[in-house]
Every structure is written in C-alpha cells, then in structure tokens.
Amino acid sequence: GQNIDQPTEMTATEGAIVQINCTYQTSGFNGLFWYQQHAGEAPTFLSYNVLDGLEEKGRFSSFLSRSKGYSYLLLKELQMKDSASYLCAVRDPYSSASKIIFGSGTRLSIRP
Amino acid sequence: GAVVSQHPSRVICKSGTSVKIECRSLDFQATTMFWYRQFPKKSLMLMATSNEGSKATYEQGVEKDKFLINHASLTLSTLTVTSAHPEDSSFYICSASLAGGPYEQFFGPGTRLTVL
C-alpha cells in the first residue's frame, strides 16, 4: 500500500521562507508531485521530482531523497496569496495510467 | 497549456435525482481521466480511473453502480451520481493525463454538488 504523510497545518510570515515536508512509504516509486490548491478550486501543478536532488522554479523549490522516502517544498519570499493547501502526491509505479496518490495536504496560512 | 473543463461548476439537486458531471480536455487528447472526490478541508480521494473505450477502474469502497463513469471519446468523460443523497454532497474534480505524454495530471475546476 501507499502511505503519504505531511503536516496538517503550518503558519508563516509574509516575506519569510517556509518548508513543507512530505514522507512516503510505498511499495514502489515513480515520481513525486507537489500541487497547490486554494479553497474551492482545483489543484494546480507546482513540481515533479523523479530523481534525487533539488528542483528550483522561481520562488518554489522541491527536493527529493528516494532513499529516505522524503521530499520537501520550499517557498521563499512568501506572499499572502501563497495561503493555500499544498498537496504531496506519489505516482503509482504499478499503474500504467499515470495514477497518483495524494497525501492529506498541508494548509499553509500566511500572516502579515 | 493543457486545459480541462468541467460542467456544471455547481449543482443543487433534490434527494433521489441523478446528476451528470462532464469533464472535457479542451486542447489535447486524454486516454485516461481520473475522478476525485474532496470533502471540506480534506485531500483528494481518487474514486476511479476512466479509460477511453473501456470500463472504468474503481477504487476500493467506491460503488460503481452509484457513480457511473463513461469515457466515450478521447476528450470527454462523464460521472453520473445516481439517486443522489445528502451524503453525496461534495466537491468532485476530474483530471486528465496526456496520451503518451509526461506524468502530470491536469485538473478541471471542480463541481460542487449539493444534495438537499
């Protein structure tokens, strides 16, 4: 089975940096996604990691360690609009249909 | 970029009626579409995987006779909630992946279903 863990809630200050961690225990691995979801809206793609290391994309970076079953999403220069849920998801290696399994999500609140 | 639409965005219906939700990939062909359900402040729960021209694959615990899925073409999948009841009220989201493309899923804007 698949088990994906991330903190339920986090709070950070505008302009600061926040790191959202995700750990996974899966019977196989074929890539990890991070999605952002604002309340009442659909998720939007942030990043995809399949190899170890850091992927940087503007203010957002995502890191993966396959040996540790660990990833984090790093958000820099936080803005109020970054208040949202952040979903960690792992691609099912035994599915030929790009099936991905979502973690429970981390609700991030940004304070002024 | 790849765009996925859903219709309707909101629907309110009486208990016992059936509701159909459409999911369309607007500018690409999607051999596979996915249907998710999301409760307030919860993550997405995969309901089923829909493959064009074949029967959908349902996740454990999801009633296939309750949630009918049809994927008649490479750009359209439908989810019909049959004999809806208040406990079926939820946010339903579809996604699609590019045929032969990368692994990213593109999500529709979601449908808010309220059953009275």
Side-chain angles (χ1 to χ4, degrees):
Chain A
Q2 318 276 39
N3 190 35
I4 302 170
D5 293 312
Q6 43 181 139
T8 304
E9 294 186 11
M10 298 183 70
T11 302
T13 304
E14 189 177 17
I17 299 173
V18 71
Q19 178 175 310
I20 303 174
N21 296 323
C22 171
T23 58
Y24 61 91
Q25 299 88 39
T26 59
S27 51
F29 179 81
N30 202 5
L32 186 144
F33 296 85
W34 283 96
Y35 282 85
Q36 179 192 61
Q37 186 181 26
H38 286 97
E41 299 180 9
T44 56
F45 172 80
L46 291 178
S47 67
Y48 173 65
N49 294 69
V50 65
L51 299 176
D52 292 349
L54 186 68
E55 295 276 346
E56 297 186 74
K57 189 185 297 184
R59 293 190 298 116
F60 294 1
S61 302
S62 57
F63 172 84
L64 175 67
S65 170
R66 289 172 295 171
S67 62
K68 296 181 179 179
Y70 169 68
S71 173
Y72 68 72
L73 180 69
L74 191 71
L75 291 75
K76 303 177 184 177
E77 300 170 18
L78 287 169
Q79 301 174 9
M80 298 301 292
K81 67 178 182 180
D82 296 329
S83 293
S85 287
Y86 291 85
L87 309 175
C88 173
V90 174
R91 184 167 182 260
D92 185 338
Y94 300 110
S95 167
S96 61
S98 304
K99 176 179 168 180
I100 58 176
I101 308 299
F102 283 87
S104 56
T106 299
R107 287 194 302 279
L108 176 64
S109 299
I110 309 299
R111 54 174 178 247
Chain B
V3 179
V4 176
S5 70
Q6 267 184 254
H7 177 79
S9 57
R10 289 178 181 269
V11 58
I12 301 173
C13 68
K14 294 182 179 180
S15 185
T17 60
S18 294
V19 176
K20 180 185 283 188
I21 302 170
E22 292 187 349
C23 177
R24 292 182 184 273
S25 57
L26 298 185
D27 51 2
F28 67 101
Q29 293 184 332
T31 52
T32 305
M33 290 184 173
F34 303 87
W35 287 97
Y36 295 86
R37 183 175 181 176
Q38 188 174 33
F39 292 102
K41 297 186 178 181
K42 299 293 183 182
S43 190
L44 280 75
M45 181 191 77
L46 180 64
M47 300 175 65
T49 302
S50 169
N51 295 295
E52 185 264 339
S54 63
K55 292 183 179 180
T57 302
Y58 289 82
E59 294 299 303
Q60 192 173 9
V62 178
E63 299 176 60
K64 60 181 180 180
D65 295 330
K66 173 74 172 176
F67 299 98
L68 299 178
I69 291 173
N70 183 273
H71 194 158
S73 76
L74 286 172
T75 59
L76 173 65
S77 177
T78 61
L79 168 68
T80 301
V81 183
T82 61
S83 187
H85 291 282
E87 58 265 30
D88 298 325
S89 298
S90 192
F91 193 49
Y92 293 88
I93 306 175
C94 74
S95 70
S97 56
L98 287 162
Y103 307 135
E104 178 184 348
Q105 287 186 20
F106 301 93
F107 286 85
T111 297
R112 174 77 57 193
L113 171 64
T114 303
V115 185
L116 303 177

